[in-house]
Amino acid sequence: MHAEMLVLQFSRKVVDQPIIYRLVKDFNLEFNLLKAAINPQQEGVIVMELRGHPQDFRRGLKFLRDAGVQVKRVAGEVRRNDELCYQCGACTAVCPTGALYIERPAMSVAFAAERCSACELCCPVCPARAMEVKLNRNAI
Amino acid sequence: MGNYQVNKTYQEINEKIKKGQAVVVTAEEIIDLVRRKGEAEAARTVDVVTTGTFSPMCSSGAILNFGHSKPPIKASRAWLNNVPAYAGLAAVDVYLGATEPATDDPLNKVYPGEFKYGGGHVIQDLVAGKTVHLVAESYGTDCYPNKKLEKDLTLKDFLNAVLFNPRNCYQNYNCAVNLSNRTIYTYMGPLRPRAGNANFCTAGQLSPLFNDPYYRTIGIGTRIFLGGGVGYVCFPGTQHNPGKLRGENGVPLSPAGTLMVLGDLKKMSPRFLVGASLLGYGCSLAVGLGIPIPMLNEEMAHFCAVTDEQLLAPIIDYGHDYPAATGRVLGHVSYAQLKTGKMELDGQEIPTVPLSSLVRAREVAQILKEWITQGQFLLGEPVDLLPGSDEIHCVPTASRDS
């Protein structure tokens, strides 16, 4: 399973085409939409997490580019600074992928980096500001 | 003295501590002991039970005396790392409040505000040994002619530094939900709409005032663990309200008792005093606080054996009821339930989210246990007890106890 956060930009020419539908149907990919908007110039932008088999993921990305969609990979990676984290659990309220979760009965807060989609929602919510965004070199 | 099977005095327990013979357990460890041996036997065996809590406690701050300069100044306004401190005291005394944001903080103008740096963070930087920048201004007097002072100081350079928290250690606290249709940002953390999450903020069965519900041993002069050092209960905290409705076990069903505490900041640690930024709400200070409870008799063993199943938090809607001060309580939920990660409200399953660090609360109780076991920490017998429910007139707060 491979997952990545993507920013897609649609030109006026392609904004009315069912591109995401094809991405799901033809490439068996799962998407989680975080933002979608069309500006007054009729250009669209979508921020979403795309998830699937690595091979499907690559083919899907090629399809998007061939269709005229500009694809930008979000090069962020969220890490936890364990020196700063005081293990409260506030972040678990907002984490959409369950990467941050409470281990019971210890009530310690665990961070499964492989499940993190780098949405960064936890960063401002952490009272100790222990969640840091770093450049993900693998994604560049 | 009541009709107890076990009768111990503070002096007797302190003698045992000095000899390194005191038996000390945490408020979690005593539960099983009482279950196995009974209350009287547990009180006979154990001398002290240690409690602990670690969470943001907004009513905290530090009294700092930065020493006289040459020429001297009577500071009328002061800032530490750009965070205003109250200077309406004598010449070089200031009070730095934990929730004071830096002067250039955008606050909630960009909603929800991030509140990245404030008084709590300055306090953490000080105990971490970092240098802070002091700016003081004055109108100048004949005896204090200096009108402006700027200098860099570390905690060692202050003449005195006292952590002085007017209200800490709430006995019970609200479980916060949001029944409105938009996400709200509160001191109880972000609350998603339509009861998307339920946030709670006490250490439950390990929390100090849950283990001494009638303040039989915690009073003025009680020596405590505060911020990694030694502190004292110096008075009932502000909004101390022992008259709240209690369950059959004597434990209040809503926020009730509070403590005013102080201690030498110079001996505290950045692990147990952590600056906090509460999204959309403000700055704060997470405080580690632990209180030893002497096993004077079997009644104290009974109180300390309280479990999360028997401790109930009131569920409050912060979307409407709390800001409108309706005082409505949606129901009660046990800390045992809250710690499972989900609860039910009107047939809806809601994820529960802790804001209080149980991991670090356990660390506090454990360290206090070691201090006492090793004979480094003696119990302070209260010179006066805190007001109980029959002694104090309290103005109702309509569940607004922040």
Side-chain angles (χ1 to χ4, degrees), chain A residues 1-130:
Chain A
M1 221 27 141
H2 182 78
E4 250 184 71
M5 193 63 74
L6 303 174
V7 179
L8 310 181
Q9 280 172 317
F10 297 76
S11 67
R12 281 171 72 163
K13 282 184 208 152
V14 295
V15 81
D16 58 347
Q17 290 170 31
I19 287 172
I20 303 297
Y21 168 76
R22 295 247 70 92
L23 198 61
V24 176
K25 191 152 192 293
D26 300 348
F27 301 93
N28 197 28
L29 293 170
E30 214 180 290
F31 71 91
N32 181 20
L33 214 58
L34 291 172
K35 186 180 168 184
I38 295 178
N39 69 17
Q41 286 79 43
Q42 300 291 305
E43 294 159 337
V45 62
I46 284 180
V47 181
M48 67 178 193
E49 188 197 38
L50 198 62
R51 178 186 290 270
H53 189 275
Q55 204 177 344
D56 293 337
F57 190 93
R58 275 198 300 277
R59 287 172 54 230
L61 230 56
K62 184 172 184 303
F63 158 75
L64 284 172
R65 288 188 171 124
D66 289 348
V69 178
Q70 213 183 45
V71 182
K72 270 195 248 165
R73 293 166 132 162
V74 177
E77 183 189 40
V78 173
R79 289 188 206 163
R80 180 167 72 180
N81 183 333
D82 288 326
E83 287 290 301
L84 298 180
C85 170
Y86 63 72
Q87 306 270 320
C88 65
C91 52
T92 63
V94 295
C95 181
T97 63
L100 287 155
Y101 61 98
I102 308 261
E103 288 177 311
R104 297 182 163 82
M107 295 299 282
S108 54
V109 183
F111 177 50
E114 69 280 2
R115 272 194 258 158
C116 172
S117 64
C119 71
E120 299 176 25
L121 285 174
C122 55
C123 299
V125 164
C126 172
R129 294 291 189 271

Side-chain angles (χ1 to χ4, degrees), chain B residues 29-40 42-43 301-302 304-305:
Chain B
E29 292 163 344
I30 188 91
I31 293 168
D32 193 45
L33 203 74
V34 168
R35 223 171 255 160
R36 282 189 289 116
K37 295 187 168 183
E39 288 161 4
H302 167 79
C304 287

Side-chain angles (χ1 to χ4, degrees), chain B residues 35-106:
Chain B
R35 223 171 255 160
R36 282 189 289 116
K37 295 187 168 183
E39 288 161 4
E41 188 52 33
R44 216 168 273 135
T45 318
V46 176
D47 297 302
V48 184
V49 170
T50 61
T51 60
T53 182
F54 185 94
S55 57
M57 301 192 199
C58 289
S59 199
S60 300
I63 296 167
L64 303 165
N65 179 299
F66 53 82
H68 283 286
S69 55
K70 243 185 206 176
I73 189 168
K74 176 201 178 311
S76 51
R77 304 212 296 155
W79 297 261
L80 286 152
N81 280 355
N82 213 16
V83 177
Y86 179 70
L89 301 162
V92 291
D93 282 332
V94 296
Y95 184 77
L96 178 67
T99 69
E100 187 70 49
T103 47
D104 56 355
D105 194 294

